[in-house]
Structures are given as structure tokens and as C-alpha cells.
Amino acid sequence: MSYAKDRRNAYGENDKSSRKNIRRNRRTPNRADRHREHQVLASATGIRIDEAAEQAEAKLLAKKSMWMTKRWRKFRDAPLAEVVEYRLRRRVRLGIDEPAAAQARIQRIRQRRIGK
């Protein structure tokens, strides 16, 4: 059951840094959007002029959001069985393990994952 349910970070970064990086990657585009909108709206303050208000609105609508341009996405962690199989195959490819022994281990992992 553990091979099917447990997951491991396979993204390539330190798994502890993900706690900070996920928040940072979600926060940065929102902050940039708020900054841009503040600058555009600040240019339209003062005596109300319809043309200035329309130009500011057009600028806000014309520029795409940072969410659309940078498009960062979270990825879920890989199942433990896939991570272990990859590591076993990598050991064979590097000459660390023997192919027969690694194949036997992979078969045991697959059987345990299915629940036989």
C-alpha cells in the first residue's frame, strides 16, 4: 500500500525549499500586477477627465496579467514506486547493480503496488 500511496519530490529541487518557493511563485505575479495597476491608476488621478479615465482603463485591459505571461504551475510529487523503479534502473545503467537483481526488485515493487 505504501508504494501506491506515498509520494516523493521528483521535481529536482530540495524538498524543503518547496515550502518557500511555492508561496513565492504564487505571490510574485500578484504583486507585480498590483504595482502595475497602481501606476496606471495614479496617472488618472486628479480632476476627473473622461479621456484620462478611458486611457487608464484601456491600459489596464490591454496589458496581460503576469499570471498569463509567466504561468507558473505546481506539480504533484511522484508515487514512491515510480521513484524507486527509476533509481534501480539508473543503478543498472551506471553499472552499480546487476540487471537481473534489479529486475527482480522491480517485479517485487510492481507486485506490492498492485497488492498481489
Side-chain angles (χ1 to χ4, degrees):
M1 195 64 143
S2 179
Y3 281 118
K5 298 269 185 180
D6 288 356
R7 296 182 122 16
R8 292 293 182 268
N9 187 349
Y11 186 69
E13 290 183 348
N14 181 354
D15 57 339
K16 276 74 172 175
S17 70
S18 295
R19 283 179 285 210
K20 289 188 221 170
N21 290 336
I22 288 170
R23 283 181 279 172
R24 183 181 301 128
N25 286 325
R26 290 176 58 118
R27 179 178 60 220
T28 303
N30 288 327
R31 187 175 180 186
D33 286 342
R34 285 193 307 268
H35 180 70
R36 180 183 56 83
E37 290 168 4
H38 179 73
Q39 286 181 327
V40 170
L41 292 174
S43 67
T45 58
I47 300 173
R48 184 171 177 218
I49 302 171
D50 290 334
E51 292 176 13
E54 289 176 11
Q55 287 178 351
E57 187 176 356
K59 280 183 186 178
L60 286 175
L61 295 175
K63 178 104 168 128
K64 288 202 174 203
S65 171
M66 287 278 291
W67 277 110
M68 301 307 284
T69 56
K70 296 250 174 156
R71 205 67 175 170
W72 179 83
R73 295 257 186 204
K74 286 195 322 188
F75 290 99
R76 52 196 274 190
D77 293 339
L80 179 61
E82 290 179 14
V83 173
V84 173
E85 282 184 31
Y86 171 77
R87 287 182 181 173
L88 289 172
R89 286 195 180 104
R90 183 174 180 272
R91 286 179 190 170
V92 170
R93 193 175 63 240
L94 294 174
I96 298 171
D97 265 348
E98 296 202 16
Q103 191 60 35
R105 289 183 187 138
I106 290 172
Q107 284 301 108
R108 277 186 285 173
I109 291 169
R110 288 183 179 163
Q111 288 175 353
R112 287 180 185 165
R113 182 172 51 183
I114 295 170
K116 290 183 180 179

